[in-house]
Every structure is written in C-alpha cells, then in structure tokens.
Amino acid sequence: MITDTEGIILRQIKTVNGRTMLSVFSRKFGKISVGTNLTGAGKNKSALATRPFTYGEYELFKGRDVYNLNSGRVIKSYFDIGDDLDKFMAASYVLELTDKILMEEDPQPKLFVDLTDFLEAIEKRSKKLDTLVLAYMVKALDSTGTMPELDCCACCGRSRGNRPAGWFSIEEGGILCRECAQESADGQDKSLIYQVDFDIINVLGYFRKEPFSRFEKLALEDKVSDKLMDILKGYLAYHLDISNLKSEFVNI
Ligand SMILES: [Zn+2]
C-alpha cells in the first residue's frame, strides 16, 4: 500500500546492511518507524528529507509490518538550529521526548502542530529557551492524556477550591492539599515532594491552552523554570519511565 504524509524526523537509527530506520512523527499516523537505504548524507532530495529536524512530506510504502520510504521532500529544515548549541540541546531534548512519549501509530495531530510551532519558535528566539521547552512538555503530557492532577489533591481528592497549590507530589502525580503534604512528608521520599511558591496551576494551564505564538514575549523567571523543569522531569521519570535522555546532560 502506498500512502503519503507530512512528518517530522525525530531520530535516525542505523541498522544492518546499510539500512536506516527513521523514527517519524507523521501527521496522519502518529509516530511510525520507516526503513530506508538513504543515509541523509548525500545531496539527493529524498536523502536530505531524512535528517533529524526536518519537517517534510513523505511517500511511504507500507509492507506487512513496516513502512518503507519511497521518496521525501523537505518542507522546512530546522537544521540551522544546530548552529547554536543551546537551541540544539533544547530542540534535541524535545524531539527525544516526543519519540519516547508517543505510542506507535497513535495519531496526535494537535501535538504535531505544536511540535512544528515549537521548532519555529525556538528558531526565532535567542534566550530563555527553557520556557518553550516547558510549554512543549506540558502540551505533550496533555495530548497523550498524562497531565498531572491539578484540580484537586492527588492524594485525598479534596477539591482545591480557589486556593493556590502549595505542594506538588511526583509520587501522587499532582498537587497536594496542606494536610496530605504534611502527612506524606513523613512517609514519602521527600525528594519527590516539591513546595511550590509560584502559581503552578496557572502556569501549567496557560502552557496547556495557549499556542506557541503567545509565548514570544513570555519568559519564566529562572527559579520558577528550574523548579518546574525538576518537577516535570521527575514526573516523566516516575510515571512514564522517561528519563536519562541523551540530550539531558546539558542543562536547558
Ligand atoms: Zn489531600
């Protein structure tokens, strides 16, 4: 069966006999693995479209259980992001996170748009890249149905009402009320409970709802973004087993 789709190349994996497997976030089918003999090194039009950071259009042949690349065409290459180490690390982290958080062949058209928007936004931006990365992390959690609990205490279920959340528990997967925070401070691993002195619900809610075009002039304070990064990375590791990403060793 021959089909075509737009896609973003997340990763190239070299396999035997000069074959390469591409992990592609396709608009139509979600994340798919696509086999090809092209290496991405040549000047060939299709080869250029197999490089990570490429947003392209791909014609695929679906065999019994694997997609093969017939041809590809670059719609936009974000390869220049590689000229700036900070942007490269931030965007690499986002591509790797996307590769890990998506299930195979589970279409995610909204997150697909979010990822192209993220790449556009980071290409233009020169500082506070972590604000964009955090926004994408929240959108990825939201799209895949794995958002932390923010409306009520993740431990006892008591509604938060209008009160700001004072604590976030990685283990419980959401905000905690004062009582549960005090109680679990004895029982739980303390490194998994964060006291939050900023409005985590508003920040996460804003990132979830608003498009990247609204974040152009938005930058979180360093202490807020550092803590939020710790919380979300802890949450991803604990609940989704997503940790030790290759691009994570550099602080983004
Ligand atoms: Zn509670």
Side-chain angles (χ1 to χ4, degrees), residues 37-61:
N37 291 325
L38 298 169
T39 61
K43 284 267 187 279
N44 175 299
K45 190 164 73 91
S46 292
L48 287 175
T50 66
R51 302 196 299 186
F53 295 105
T54 302
Y55 168 32
E57 192 168 15
Y58 302 93
E59 186 185 277
L60 308 171
F61 173 75

Short mmCIF file of all heavy atoms in Angstrom, two decimals, residues 37-61:
data_model
loop_
_atom_site.label_atom_id
_atom_site.label_comp_id
_atom_site.label_asym_id
_atom_site.label_seq_id
_atom_site.Cartn_x
_atom_site.Cartn_y
_atom_site.Cartn_z
N ASN A 37 17.13 3.01 2.63
CA ASN A 37 18.55 2.78 2.35
C ASN A 37 19.31 4.09 2.26
O ASN A 37 20.52 4.10 2.13
CB ASN A 37 18.72 2.01 1.04
CG ASN A 37 18.22 0.59 1.18
OD1 ASN A 37 18.36 -0.02 2.24
ND2 ASN A 37 17.59 0.07 0.13
N LEU A 38 18.58 5.20 2.32
CA LEU A 38 19.24 6.51 2.24
C LEU A 38 19.89 6.83 3.58
O LEU A 38 19.41 6.41 4.63
CB LEU A 38 18.22 7.60 1.89
CG LEU A 38 17.52 7.44 0.54
CD1 LEU A 38 16.35 8.41 0.45
CD2 LEU A 38 18.52 7.68 -0.59
N THR A 39 20.97 7.57 3.54
CA THR A 39 21.69 7.85 4.79
C THR A 39 21.48 9.28 5.28
O THR A 39 21.80 9.61 6.40
CB THR A 39 23.21 7.67 4.59
OG1 THR A 39 23.62 8.59 3.59
CG2 THR A 39 23.53 6.24 4.18
N GLY A 40 20.97 10.13 4.44
CA GLY A 40 20.82 11.53 4.85
C GLY A 40 22.09 12.32 4.58
O GLY A 40 22.15 13.52 4.80
N ALA A 41 23.12 11.63 4.07
CA ALA A 41 24.40 12.32 3.88
C ALA A 41 24.49 12.95 2.49
O ALA A 41 25.13 13.97 2.31
CB ALA A 41 25.54 11.33 4.07
N GLY A 42 23.87 12.34 1.49
CA GLY A 42 24.05 12.80 0.11
C GLY A 42 23.27 14.07 -0.21
O GLY A 42 22.61 14.65 0.65
N LYS A 43 23.36 14.48 -1.43
CA LYS A 43 22.65 15.69 -1.87
C LYS A 43 21.28 15.33 -2.44
O LYS A 43 20.50 16.20 -2.81
CB LYS A 43 23.47 16.40 -2.96
CG LYS A 43 24.66 17.16 -2.42
CD LYS A 43 24.28 18.63 -2.14
CE LYS A 43 25.49 19.48 -1.77
NZ LYS A 43 25.87 19.33 -0.38
N ASN A 44 21.03 14.04 -2.55
CA ASN A 44 19.75 13.55 -3.05
C ASN A 44 18.58 14.21 -2.29
O ASN A 44 18.62 14.33 -1.08
CB ASN A 44 19.78 12.02 -2.86
CG ASN A 44 18.51 11.37 -3.22
OD1 ASN A 44 17.48 11.66 -2.61
ND2 ASN A 44 18.55 10.47 -4.18
N LYS A 45 17.57 14.61 -3.03
CA LYS A 45 16.44 15.34 -2.43
C LYS A 45 15.76 14.55 -1.30
O LYS A 45 15.47 15.07 -0.24
CB LYS A 45 15.44 15.66 -3.55
CG LYS A 45 14.34 16.60 -3.17
CD LYS A 45 13.65 17.16 -4.42
CE LYS A 45 12.78 16.11 -5.08
NZ LYS A 45 11.42 16.00 -4.74
N SER A 46 15.56 13.26 -1.58
CA SER A 46 14.92 12.43 -0.56
C SER A 46 15.84 12.22 0.64
O SER A 46 15.40 12.18 1.78
CB SER A 46 14.53 11.08 -1.14
OG SER A 46 13.50 11.23 -2.08
N ALA A 47 17.16 12.09 0.37
CA ALA A 47 18.11 11.87 1.46
C ALA A 47 18.11 13.06 2.41
O ALA A 47 18.14 12.90 3.64
CB ALA A 47 19.52 11.64 0.91
N LEU A 48 18.03 14.27 1.86
CA LEU A 48 18.03 15.47 2.71
C LEU A 48 16.81 15.47 3.63
O LEU A 48 16.87 15.98 4.74
CB LEU A 48 18.00 16.73 1.84
CG LEU A 48 19.30 17.07 1.11
CD1 LEU A 48 19.07 18.27 0.18
CD2 LEU A 48 20.42 17.37 2.10
N ALA A 49 15.73 14.90 3.13
CA ALA A 49 14.49 14.92 3.91
C ALA A 49 14.47 13.88 5.03
O ALA A 49 13.50 13.78 5.77
CB ALA A 49 13.30 14.70 2.99
N THR A 50 15.57 13.09 5.16
CA THR A 50 15.60 12.06 6.21
C THR A 50 16.39 12.53 7.43
O THR A 50 16.56 11.77 8.38
CB THR A 50 16.22 10.75 5.70
OG1 THR A 50 17.60 10.98 5.39
CG2 THR A 50 15.49 10.21 4.48
N ARG A 51 16.91 13.75 7.39
CA ARG A 51 17.72 14.20 8.52
C ARG A 51 16.84 14.67 9.68
O ARG A 51 15.79 15.29 9.45
CB ARG A 51 18.62 15.36 8.10
CG ARG A 51 19.53 14.99 6.94
CD ARG A 51 20.66 15.97 6.77
NE ARG A 51 20.22 17.33 6.48
CZ ARG A 51 21.06 18.32 6.18
NH1 ARG A 51 22.35 18.08 6.12
NH2 ARG A 51 20.61 19.53 5.94
N PRO A 52 17.26 14.36 10.92
CA PRO A 52 16.50 14.89 12.06
C PRO A 52 16.36 16.40 11.94
O PRO A 52 17.19 17.06 11.32
CB PRO A 52 17.37 14.52 13.27
CG PRO A 52 18.15 13.34 12.82
CD PRO A 52 18.40 13.54 11.35
N PHE A 53 15.33 16.94 12.54
CA PHE A 53 14.98 18.36 12.47
C PHE A 53 14.37 18.74 11.12
O PHE A 53 14.26 19.91 10.81
CB PHE A 53 16.20 19.29 12.72
CG PHE A 53 16.75 19.18 14.11
CD1 PHE A 53 17.92 18.50 14.36
CD2 PHE A 53 16.07 19.75 15.17
CE1 PHE A 53 18.41 18.39 15.64
CE2 PHE A 53 16.56 19.66 16.45
CZ PHE A 53 17.74 18.97 16.69
N THR A 54 13.99 17.74 10.32
CA THR A 54 13.34 18.06 9.06
C THR A 54 11.83 17.88 9.18
O THR A 54 11.35 16.88 9.73
CB THR A 54 13.83 17.12 7.93
OG1 THR A 54 15.24 17.28 7.81
CG2 THR A 54 13.16 17.47 6.60
N TYR A 55 11.13 18.87 8.66
CA TYR A 55 9.69 18.76 8.50
C TYR A 55 9.49 18.53 7.00
O TYR A 55 9.87 19.38 6.19
CB TYR A 55 9.06 20.07 8.98
CG TYR A 55 7.60 20.29 8.65
CD1 TYR A 55 6.70 19.22 8.56
CD2 TYR A 55 7.12 21.57 8.45
CE1 TYR A 55 5.36 19.44 8.26
CE2 TYR A 55 5.77 21.80 8.15
CZ TYR A 55 4.92 20.73 8.06
OH TYR A 55 3.60 20.95 7.77
N GLY A 56 8.97 17.38 6.63
CA GLY A 56 8.90 17.06 5.22
C GLY A 56 7.63 16.36 4.82
O GLY A 56 6.72 16.12 5.64
N GLU A 57 7.57 16.04 3.54
CA GLU A 57 6.44 15.29 3.01
C GLU A 57 7.02 13.97 2.49
O GLU A 57 8.02 13.98 1.76
CB GLU A 57 5.80 16.09 1.88
CG GLU A 57 4.47 15.52 1.47
CD GLU A 57 3.72 16.48 0.57
OE1 GLU A 57 4.33 17.42 0.05
OE2 GLU A 57 2.53 16.25 0.38
N TYR A 58 6.39 12.88 2.87
CA TYR A 58 6.99 11.59 2.59
C TYR A 58 6.00 10.67 1.90
O TYR A 58 4.83 10.59 2.30
CB TYR A 58 7.46 10.94 3.92
CG TYR A 58 8.44 11.83 4.63
CD1 TYR A 58 8.00 12.75 5.60
CD2 TYR A 58 9.78 11.82 4.30
CE1 TYR A 58 8.89 13.61 6.21
CE2 TYR A 58 10.69 12.68 4.91
CZ TYR A 58 10.23 13.57 5.86
OH TYR A 58 11.12 14.43 6.45
N GLU A 59 6.49 9.98 0.86
CA GLU A 59 5.68 8.93 0.25
C GLU A 59 6.20 7.62 0.80
O GLU A 59 7.40 7.33 0.75
CB GLU A 59 5.80 8.95 -1.27
CG GLU A 59 4.85 7.95 -1.91
CD GLU A 59 5.03 7.85 -3.41
OE1 GLU A 59 4.47 8.69 -4.13
OE2 GLU A 59 5.74 6.93 -3.85
N LEU A 60 5.28 6.82 1.34
CA LEU A 60 5.68 5.60 2.04
C LEU A 60 5.02 4.39 1.42
O LEU A 60 3.90 4.47 0.91
CB LEU A 60 5.25 5.68 3.51
CG LEU A 60 5.66 6.93 4.29
CD1 LEU A 60 4.97 6.95 5.65
CD2 LEU A 60 7.17 6.98 4.47
N PHE A 61 5.74 3.30 1.49
CA PHE A 61 5.13 2.03 1.11
C PHE A 61 4.97 1.21 2.40
O PHE A 61 5.92 1.00 3.13
CB PHE A 61 6.04 1.28 0.13
CG PHE A 61 5.55 -0.10 -0.17
CD1 PHE A 61 4.45 -0.29 -1.01
CD2 PHE A 61 6.16 -1.22 0.40
CE1 PHE A 61 3.97 -1.57 -1.27
CE2 PHE A 61 5.68 -2.49 0.15
CZ PHE A 61 4.59 -2.68 -0.69
#
